[in-house]
Amino acid sequence: MSEHAGTHLSAPASFHPGGRTVEEYEARQLIRPAVIIDVRRQCSSDRDYALTPDDLHEWESRHGQLPPGSLALLLTGWSDRWNDPADYLGIDATGTLHFPGFGPEVAAMLVHERRVSGLGTDTAGVEPGLDTAFAVSKVALARNLIVLQNLTNLDNLPPTGAVLAIGVLKLEGGSGSPAAVTGLIP
């Protein structure tokens, strides 16, 4: 079983030698309030869309400032493509991946200014597929945050007010784990 397949959590050890491994997450750290940032419209015309600071400011103008400690979840609509791996990953003739994600500038804002507890998305990575340096994952995981990938049903959650319960396999020394993620709406 792969640590990084299907819906999964990536731990800091994925990119940072000596970083936290998956069994080091405490249960209380895996129950978090969540906000949903819906960019389906932008992604429908741009496979490589990267969330921007302007997108975050627009979201906050409608829903209020993103609360510290929240998981910021990006709803791109990509989970609808799951059953077609070529479309989901967007692999072109050169082997380059094409799917949307968080841009590095807004990721830095979310991590350092909004003090989120993590980032998640309904795509194969929190950064766009074009980002082979994994800049967004590295920023989040350097701070021991949660990184969730390949989420589904984010469209069933409200922009604010949901809580996620994240179940992982406590794989000793694991850089990640398959995850059972349940969204709760009070």
Side-chain angles (χ1 to χ4, degrees):
M1 175 186 339
S2 172
E3 295 173 333
H4 297 273
T7 300
H8 66 278
L9 177 143
S10 292
S14 299
F15 294 102
H16 303 288
R20 174 193 277 180
T21 55
V22 73
E23 82 278 8
E24 295 179 275
Y25 285 95
E26 297 174 28
R28 65 180 172 78
Q29 295 171 305
L30 297 173
I31 299 174
R32 308 297 321 156
V35 300
I36 307 298
I37 303 169
D38 186 347
V39 290
R40 289 177 288 185
R41 180 184 50 78
Q42 296 93 317
C43 296
S44 68
S45 61
D46 184 356
R47 291 189 68 91
D48 301 313
Y49 191 77
L51 186 74
T52 67
D54 287 343
D55 292 323
L56 177 61
H57 293 306
E58 181 183 325
W59 185 92
E60 289 180 328
S61 74
R62 289 191 314 265
H63 305 289
Q65 186 162 339
L66 198 144
S70 296
L71 287 168
L73 305 178
L74 192 61
L75 170 57
T76 69
W78 239 244
S79 64
D80 294 343
R81 302 168 186 244
W82 178 256
N83 290 323
D84 183 348
D87 189 30
Y88 186 73
L89 295 173
I91 302 172
D92 67 18
T94 67
T96 303
L97 302 177
H98 296 277
F99 55 79
F102 291 89
E105 188 178 359
V106 75
M109 283 178 64
L110 289 165
V111 170
H112 301 294
E113 295 174 25
R114 301 303 188 273
R115 298 182 324 278
V116 297
S117 61
L119 304 173
T121 184
D122 58 0
T123 67
V126 289
E127 53 277 303
L130 292 173
D131 182 356
T132 58
F134 303 101
V136 173
S137 291
K138 288 177 180 175
V139 164
L141 294 173
R143 302 284 292 228
N144 284 323
L145 303 183
I146 294 168
V147 171
L148 295 169
Q149 296 152 319
N150 298 317
L151 294 166
T152 190
N153 295 318
L154 294 179
D155 57 328
N156 291 329
L157 298 176
T160 63
V163 173
L164 289 192
I166 305 161
V168 296
L169 298 174
K170 296 287 192 165
L171 303 171
E172 187 175 337
S175 64
S177 170
V181 181
T182 303
L184 306 170
I185 304 170

